[in-house]
Amino acid sequence: MIATKSINPKVTIPPLENGDKLTRTEFERRYHAMPDRKKAELIEGIVYMASPLRITQHGEPHARIMGWLSFYQAFTPNLQLGDNCTVRLDSDNEPQPDALLRLKQDGKSTISEDGYVEGAPELMIEIAASSVSIDLHQKLNVYRRNQVQEYLVWRVDDGELDWFRLENEKYIKLQPNADGIIKSKIFPGLYLNKAALLAGDLAQVFATLQIGLATPEHQSFVN
């Protein structure tokens, strides 16, 4: 009698690779099967894997942004702040923005039963160094199409910051006022001293934000 080899019933799930063209369902299946998960995004049906992150080009700028947003959240109820959270935008797009700020109630996004953001958060932020071409082209179009109200891109290597506001289905770049302050339209009182942030002067960043928090517009928003 000839012995036969048993067939392994387990199916090997392919790992995610840069450039894979996948549905969102298949993207999530492969992502969850990776034992050492890393940052991976699905943008227009294409997989993008993050490069190793340098502290000067990403880690420190990211920390400044999170500190600024955390300060605002501390004095503004009904907000949820996220750090590198997966967002299910549509069937072809599942980004993992560096930061997001969303309304818990009466906003455009919800939290799924398995803990993911679904729909468009009000504000999405990207710290762009090696990813700047994606962040200012493919992602910008995806976020615009999905009605993300504001989108901020910090171009670290260029020493520049772009803050876009959705108006009439288009992204319009917000401009600093005479004092160099950019003001959010969707979150009253969220003031950003652009020069101070780029220079790493967090004391001035927070001082400017406190001015925004003291405005009648912010108080009305809180109420």
Side-chain angles (χ1 to χ4, degrees):
M1 186 174 181
I2 300 174
T4 58
K5 293 183 179 180
S6 61
I7 299 174
N8 188 344
K10 293 184 178 180
V11 177
T12 300
I13 300 177
L16 286 175
E17 300 287 351
N18 259 323
D20 282 345
K21 187 170 180 60
L22 304 173
T23 64
R24 199 184 75 186
T25 300
E26 180 62 15
F27 169 77
E28 289 191 6
R29 188 176 80 101
R30 295 190 188 187
Y31 182 81
H32 289 303
M34 296 171 65
D36 52 346
R37 297 178 192 172
K38 299 178 180 179
K39 182 169 182 176
E41 302 181 288
L42 187 70
I43 306 297
E44 301 291 47
I46 304 297
V47 174
Y48 293 90
M49 306 285 285
S51 303
L53 301 177
R54 298 177 176 86
I55 189 169
T56 53
Q57 291 179 297
H58 192 279
E60 187 176 22
H62 182 91
R64 293 180 199 168
I65 285 289
M66 294 306 298
W68 169 64
L69 292 175
S70 295
F71 197 114
Y72 180 76
Q73 182 194 29
F75 297 94
T76 313
N78 189 37
L79 298 185
Q80 187 170 35
L81 173 61
D83 182 340
N84 274 290
C85 301
T86 293
V87 179
R88 292 168 172 162
L89 279 178
D90 59 36
S91 58
D92 292 318
N93 292 283
E94 192 166 304
Q96 191 176 335
D98 291 309
L100 66 83
L101 193 62
R102 61 179 292 272
L103 294 171
K104 289 183 179 180
Q105 298 178 353
D106 302 322
K108 293 182 175 294
S109 61
T110 59
I111 304 300
S112 66
E113 290 185 359
D114 54 349
Y116 289 100
V117 178
E118 294 187 340
E122 280 64 39
L123 172 63
M124 304 265 266
I125 297 177
E126 300 286 0
I127 309 300
S130 60
S131 64
V132 66
S133 61
I134 299 171
D135 294 334
L136 280 178
H137 294 89
Q138 292 99 317
K139 277 189 182 179
L140 186 144
N141 288 327
V142 168
Y143 292 175
R144 176 191 56 77
R145 193 172 67 241
N146 281 276
Q147 302 289 299
V148 175
Q149 295 300 300
E150 293 189 352
Y151 177 38
L152 191 158
V153 181
W154 184 348
R155 293 184 279 126
V156 178
D157 288 344
D158 297 332
E160 189 55 80
L161 185 148
D162 305 307
W163 193 339
F164 301 98
R165 162 70 174 159
L166 189 65
E167 294 183 6
N168 298 320
E169 306 298 323
K170 296 181 180 179
Y171 270 145
I172 307 300
K173 186 175 177 180
L174 298 177
Q175 299 296 331
N177 63 13
D179 296 320
I181 300 171
I182 306 177
K183 302 178 181 181
S184 171
K185 301 293 186 181
I186 195 71
F187 292 114
L190 184 58
Y191 286 13
L192 179 61
N193 188 315
K194 178 180 175 180
L197 181 73
L198 295 176
D201 186 354
L202 288 182
Q204 187 57 53
V205 170
F206 293 151
T208 300
L209 181 53
Q210 284 181 311
I211 295 173
L213 294 172
T215 59
E217 291 80 12
H218 179 260
Q219 188 58 53
S220 177
F221 185 56
V222 167
N223 293 335

